Amino acid sequence: MKDSLPGGLTKDRLPELLVPHACLRESLALLVMRILFGLALWFSGYSHLTHYDMMVKRFTDWGVPLPGLNVYISGITECGGGLLLLFGIATRLISIPLFFNFVVAYVTASRSKLVQMIAGPGHWDGVADVVNDDAMPFLAMSLIAFAFGPGKISVDYILKRILGGSSSRHPD
């Protein structure tokens, strides 16, 4: 009985017990990710729009072209994208402009970190700075949302079921 696990389970039966629940675990993880990042994005975008003058100054200092216009674009993308993520609406679609929003954040606000990582004498310090940048979690979340979609606990999934979408492993 050396292959026995707690509760009398055997190693042979363990995959059978875990696999049926993998889709539920994935959907719950995606739901939690969407809620946390959706709220964070909404608050960030709302802050852009309600503190417009301060954000225009910051965008100007970062060298963002047309800072006034880009504060609105970034704020609306983050605010609207956050709400869409929160409910799982057009998840893969909104992840594309969100991804580019945070790439622009790196190229402008974090340019010195990128230069340090690529061409600086302390490359690893630059890598650490890029990885620890405020934009990194949002950039990663955008990629995850694009790759995996919203999961089954989302408006996207419900609409797909109602409208008769295809049944694949990731029906989102």
Side-chain angles (χ1 to χ4, degrees):
M1 280 255 156
K2 65 180 179 178
D3 288 339
S4 180
L5 297 171
L9 296 175
T10 63
K11 288 183 181 177
D12 294 339
R13 287 204 53 221
L14 190 59
E16 295 172 28
L17 296 172
L18 294 178
V19 171
H21 305 290
C23 192
L24 176 61
R25 284 193 310 272
E26 180 182 296
S27 290
L28 285 173
L30 290 169
L31 173 66
V32 169
M33 180 207 67
R34 287 191 353 258
I35 290 171
L36 295 176
F37 283 107
L39 286 172
L41 281 167
W42 186 85
F43 283 116
S44 175
Y46 182 78
S47 177
H48 280 50
L49 299 173
T50 56
H51 300 97
Y52 176 79
D53 292 333
M54 178 185 72
M55 291 307 299
V56 168
K57 181 178 177 347
R58 290 174 81 183
F59 276 42
T60 301
D61 293 345
W62 293 331
V64 176
L66 303 170
L69 176 64
N70 280 307
V71 166
Y72 279 122
I73 291 170
S74 179
I76 290 168
T77 300
E78 290 181 19
C79 208
L83 289 174
L84 290 172
L85 278 179
L86 189 63
F87 295 103
I89 301 170
T91 302
R92 284 193 166 115
L93 182 63
I94 193 59
S95 68
I96 296 167
L98 286 170
F99 175 80
F100 284 108
N101 186 63
F102 292 106
V103 166
V104 169
Y106 267 113
V107 171
T108 56
S110 302
R111 178 185 312 253
S112 63
K113 295 175 185 179
L114 290 173
V115 169
Q116 175 70 22
M117 180 181 80
I118 295 167
H123 295 290
W124 284 112
D125 291 337
V127 170
D129 289 343
V130 167
V131 169
N132 291 321
D133 191 272
D134 290 342
M136 179 57 81
F138 296 104
L139 190 66
M141 177 276 314
S142 300
L143 290 172
I144 291 168
F146 183 76
F148 295 101
K152 289 187 174 186
I153 308 169
S154 66
V155 173
D156 282 351
Y157 180 77
I158 293 167
L159 289 174
K160 190 166 191 171
R161 292 289 303 245
I162 290 170
L163 299 174
S166 66
S167 59
S168 64
R169 184 181 180 286
H170 294 286
D172 37 40

